[in-house]
Amino acid sequence: MNGDRVQLYFAGIQDRTDSWRQVFAEIAPDIAVVDRAPSDAERATIQYALAWKPAAGILASLPALRAIFGLGAGVDGILTDPTLPTNVPLVRMVEPGLTRGMIEYAVWQVLYHHRRFWETAAAQRQHRWLDQYYPAPWDRCVGVMGLGEIGRAIAGQLQAFKFKLRGWSRSPKELPGVECYARPDALPAFLAGCDILLCLLPLTPETRGLLNADLFAHLPMGAAIINAGRGAQLNEADFLAAMRNGRIGSATLDVFQTEPLPTDHPFWRQERLFVTPHVASITDARAAARIIAEQIREDQAGRPLQHVVHRRRGY
Ligand code: NDP
Ligand code: OXD
């Protein structure tokens, strides 16, 4: 405790520390932020942590920890710590601003590939007037991998454009206007119709390397891929080969195995590949601080936390 205030330790939130400190000071003055290496006395009393890529072992060194709040929707950067306490709930970020950003990004990129604007941009660089043909959206199928908070919201918005929509998830779903598939055995059937594939999966042992040559082979020739899930889901060598042989016609990648993407990485030079620097969406610190402060108050009052990660599933 810091006076009678509960303490929230910032664990590996990197360059966002200043803005998050300010937001908590403004929105939740009842919470004391610890944004540097904690003293021994603080270690003994810190009850909550806000984490993105914490140093391995740091969270295990806090014996009074009651909950870890992930700064983002994906908690893979926290779960990589082998010493992460298993008895402390890990809460992932569900925040309307984060979802809205993902909707904007996904709609922009689905339309970019649907209308082949990558071709228009290439023609502009050559000062070339390009007559383009494109099919009606109802003749184009968009497949959404991951029908969680974000995937569902995006599928809902894409309906306005009248695309044919498919979705794939771990457990079966029923969503209006979306042909839903579940589990690995349904993956080939799901992929077979997807002209534009959008990956919004969390990184888990099951999804690591999932976007590989076997999966690409089930897609229609020339399909577009958009990966805004996690970089480690994509087998980079298989992806480059699939772009070369035309199985993948065009792509957008927001997430990479190594971030920042190394300056000499072949992705930078790939025609028909649009690279964005893990900016599909960002957590709105102000809204998130309100959500975290509310969750802390609920926990202090003995009520359950929301959006707790299922450790065995990994998301
Ligand atoms: P959720 O936990 O709400 O949803 C995850 C979805 O993935 C669920 O539908 C789940 O299925 C499905 N899923 C998980 N594992 C599998 C599997 N093995 N096979 C099939 N489906 C699976 O997460 P969010 O929607 O909030 O976020 C998804 C991910 O998006 C994040 O983990 C993060 O990696 C990424 N993200 C990226 C951002 C960026 O800026 N690039 C920003 C925000 C998020 P089920 O419904 O059956 O549980
Ligand atoms: C997230 C992200 O997981 O920004 O929220 O990648």
Side-chain angles (χ1 to χ4, degrees):
M1 293 280 183
N2 176 312
D4 55 359
R5 294 191 300 165
V6 291
Q7 290 159 294
L8 175 68
Y9 171 57
F10 285 0
I13 68 167
Q14 301 163 334
D15 55 352
R16 299 185 234 189
T17 303
D18 284 351
S19 54
W20 281 83
R21 188 197 315 106
Q22 277 164 25
V23 158
F24 269 100
E26 209 181 291
I27 281 173
D30 52 325
I31 294 170
V33 162
V34 179
D35 61 358
R36 49 179 158 72
S39 65
D40 286 347
E42 284 168 334
R43 270 182 211 276
T45 55
I46 286 170
Q47 292 187 322
Y48 300 98
L50 172 65
W52 175 241
K53 291 181 180 170
I58 187 71
L59 295 169
S61 77
L62 306 174
L65 205 58
R66 291 183 55 82
I68 302 160
F69 295 98
L71 186 147
V75 289
D76 45 292
I78 303 169
L79 288 171
T80 48
D81 178 355
T83 68
L84 191 71
T86 48
N87 57 339
V88 178
L90 170 60
V91 176
R92 63 195 190 82
M93 184 58 66
V94 176
E95 184 274 298
L98 183 64
T99 305
R100 192 189 58 243
M102 290 300 271
I103 291 172
E104 289 169 2
Y105 185 88
V107 168
W108 169 46
Q109 283 308 306
V110 165
L111 294 175
Y112 175 81
H113 291 286
H114 168 57
R115 298 287 300 269
R116 300 171 71 88
F117 284 133
W118 47 273
E119 236 173 34
T120 324
Q124 179 180 351
R125 284 193 294 274
Q126 299 158 356
H127 302 195
R128 189 162 53 87
W129 189 268
L130 181 71
D131 283 328
Q132 275 181 309
Y133 160 81
Y134 54 91
W138 46 88
D139 290 328
R140 190 85 98 180
C141 177
V142 180
V144 181
M145 300 179 85
L147 294 173
E149 286 296 327
I150 293 170
R152 277 198 313 269
I154 288 172
Q157 294 291 322
L158 286 173
Q159 291 195 14
F161 296 91
K162 305 207 180 312
F163 288 108
K164 284 192 272 190
L165 290 170
R166 286 183 177 189
W168 183 69
S169 54
R170 199 181 48 83
S171 57
K173 302 264 177 295
E174 278 184 29
L175 298 178
V178 183
E179 207 178 302
C180 293
Y181 297 73
R183 294 186 285 269
D185 55 348
L187 192 53
F190 161 76
L191 293 165
C194 294
D195 303 303
I196 301 175
L197 184 69
L198 177 56
C199 178
L200 302 162
L201 291 167
L203 181 62
T204 70
E206 286 74 39
T207 66
R208 185 176 290 276
L210 183 67
L211 302 176
N212 60 24
D214 286 348
L215 180 145
F216 302 147
H218 291 290
L219 289 169
M221 204 66 187
I225 291 197
I226 302 161
N227 187 18
R230 282 294 182 261
Q233 288 157 351
L234 183 78
N235 180 314
E236 296 191 345
D238 288 2
F239 170 78
L240 286 170
M243 286 213 76
R244 273 194 303 272
N245 68 29
R247 173 64 61 182
I248 298 177
S250 59
T252 296
L253 302 178
D254 183 57
V255 285
F256 304 91
Q257 296 202 359
T258 305
E259 293 182 5
L261 187 65
T263 48
D264 59 350
H265 197 286
F267 285 177
W268 290 115
R269 299 184 298 276
Q270 198 64 31
E271 290 257 336
R272 299 176 281 120
L273 169 60
F274 189 41
V275 166
T276 57
H278 199 149
V279 290
S281 187
I282 46 171
T283 303
D284 176 340
R286 190 168 293 275
R290 280 204 189 90
I291 291 167
I292 293 167
E294 188 52 33
Q295 290 246 56
I296 289 177
R297 289 177 200 125
E298 290 291 292
D299 183 60
Q300 291 283 306
R303 287 188 282 273
L305 293 161
Q306 306 298 313
H307 309 302
V308 174
V309 169
H310 188 297
R311 289 295 182 94
R312 198 166 41 76
R313 283 194 329 222
Y315 69 98

